[in-house]
Amino acid sequence: LPIRFDWRDKHVVTKVRNQQMCGGCWAFSVVGGIESAYAIKGESLEDLSVQQVIDCSYNNFGCSGGSTVNALNWLNKTHVRLVKDSEYSFKAQTGLCHYFSGSHAGVSIKDYSSYDFSDKEDEMAKALLAYGPLAVIVDAVSWQDYLGGIIQHHCSSGEANHAVLITGFDKTGNTPYWIVRNSWGTSWGVDGYAFVKMGANICGIADSVSAVFV
Amino acid sequence: ANGSHSGHVPPQRSEKGSAAFRESLRRHRYLNSFSSSDNSSAVYGINQFSHLFPEEFKAIYLRSKSSELPLCNKEVKMPTAHMP
């Protein structure tokens, strides 16, 4: 493994978005993973529609909450093509699902993989390198007040409540950390990102980890 | 202060926001007390969520549910294609 790696350096990570008052973090996390996987494959990097997933993933609850694994399961079963964000823009509330014709351009997934990597964060780092950014669920209660630095206390595992996207890791300093993209806008954290200590399942970051294949 | 309802934040809401803000300041002191001397520890302070009580914050923003997943007990194979 390299001692530092970040998919942002490869220009395959879209910008930080803002979920506003919508509890759709699960959709932002999954769509972020698909956008990156598509770009890693050599296609163009573009914002895909989070609103489409919020409105149409029937096994979730839109802006009232959801699960990344349920969303991936839905995407995998239905082979729904995610359209561009500009064609189905974010409204910060759950709406009626818009359907597009079969010929409409979009990105569908081929498969996904979801595992518990607790006690195996080195394997998780390998998965990040091999497959692309990882959609994970964390306990983000203490993230309400986060300004920057490496989160290493006040975060339990087993009480996951927020979905985010891991884009990289950094082991160059005394405290190795995951680089985590959030969906609370760029004014939160470090330009919208947080850093979470590696190797101790801080915030339960390794408990529910998903990679997507397009 | 003059009892008027000027501005777009109702007085009641503002009072609640102030109480939440005071609680946030207390919380920041506690969270920052764990910082280590190497300057890498997380720093906590005032941001766009400081006017919310933790319960409100959780109700709005922390709405994801986790799923029981199998433990990853095999070595991740590093593919040669698309490797950075």
Side-chain angles (χ1 to χ4, degrees):
Chain A
L1 284 173
I3 55 166
R4 187 187 189 281
F5 181 78
D6 189 350
W7 282 109
R8 284 182 295 176
D9 299 336
K10 311 285 177 195
H11 310 290
V12 292
V13 180
T14 51
K15 67 183 186 310
V16 170
R17 288 190 241 186
N18 194 334
Q19 67 185 76
Q20 300 172 46
M21 300 278 278
C22 166
C25 55
W26 55 277
F28 283 90
S29 165
V30 164
V31 171
I34 296 170
E35 290 163 344
S36 290
Y38 194 59
I40 291 166
K41 198 181 157 190
E43 305 292 343
S44 59
L45 177 68
E46 50 194 343
D47 285 351
L48 298 174
S49 176
V50 173
Q51 190 68 45
Q52 187 179 5
V53 178
I54 286 173
D55 292 348
C56 304
S57 176
Y58 59 83
N59 52 358
N60 281 305
F61 303 96
C63 283
S64 301
S67 134
T68 50
V69 176
N70 284 358
L72 286 166
N73 195 22
W74 167 74
L75 283 161
N76 200 36
K77 265 189 188 161
T78 59
H79 295 291
V80 164
R81 286 183 186 172
L82 290 187
V83 301
K84 289 180 188 176
D85 184 65
S86 56
E87 293 176 306
Y88 196 156
S89 58
F90 183 59
K91 305 283 191 306
Q93 56 186 14
T94 316
L96 289 174
C97 177
H98 297 200
Y99 290 92
F100 293 85
S101 71
S103 58
H104 200 101
V107 180
S108 60
I109 72 167
K110 285 202 175 107
D111 202 358
Y112 72 97
S113 150
S114 296
Y115 280 106
D116 176 345
F117 278 93
S118 46
D119 299 327
K120 299 219 173 211
E121 286 181 61
D122 271 341
E123 289 300 310
M124 188 170 147
K126 277 193 207 169
L128 176 93
L129 272 132
Y131 309 129
L134 303 170
V136 300
I137 315 278
V138 292
D139 166 18
V141 168
S142 68
W143 294 25
Q144 178 178 359
D145 306 296
Y146 177 75
L147 296 181
I150 305 170
I151 297 169
Q152 35 195 313
H153 308 287
H154 323 295
C155 239
S156 60
S157 56
E159 291 179 39
N161 43 40
H162 184 51
V164 289
L165 187 72
I166 298 182
T167 66
F169 59 83
D170 191 327
K171 294 177 162 191
T172 55
N174 290 335
T175 309
Y177 60 87
W178 294 108
I179 300 166
V180 179
R181 190 184 81 167
N182 203 349
S183 50
W184 294 341
T186 51
S187 60
W188 180 88
V190 182
D191 300 323
Y193 278 75
F195 307 127
V196 178
K197 184 182 175 183
M198 286 179 92
N201 198 16
I202 299 293
C203 308
I205 198 162
D207 283 337
S208 177
V209 181
S210 299
V212 64
F213 313 111
V214 297
Chain B
N2 59 13
S4 76
H5 284 224
S6 58
H8 53 269
V9 181
Q12 205 180 358
R13 168 91 183 260
S14 169
E15 214 171 90
K16 194 181 168 197
S18 300
F21 191 79
R22 283 193 297 274
E23 190 178 311
S24 291
L25 295 179
R26 278 196 293 274
R27 204 169 54 241
H28 301 160
R29 274 197 294 276
Y30 169 75
L31 293 170
N32 287 324
S33 68
F34 284 75
S35 294
S36 58
S37 53
D38 65 358
N39 285 333
S40 67
S41 284
V43 178
Y44 301 89
I46 296 163
N47 66 11
Q48 69 264 46
F49 302 128
S50 299
H51 66 290
L52 295 173
F53 284 109
E55 311 83 63
E56 293 176 302
F57 174 74
K58 200 170 177 184
I60 300 168
Y61 296 100
L62 307 183
R63 305 298 297 260
S64 190
K65 293 160 186 66
S66 58
S67 311
E68 279 287 310
L69 293 174
L71 274 169
C72 178
N73 47 21
K74 54 188 176 190
E75 202 170 303
V76 174
K77 296 243 174 9
M78 303 287 276
T80 49
H82 307 305
M83 271 294 289

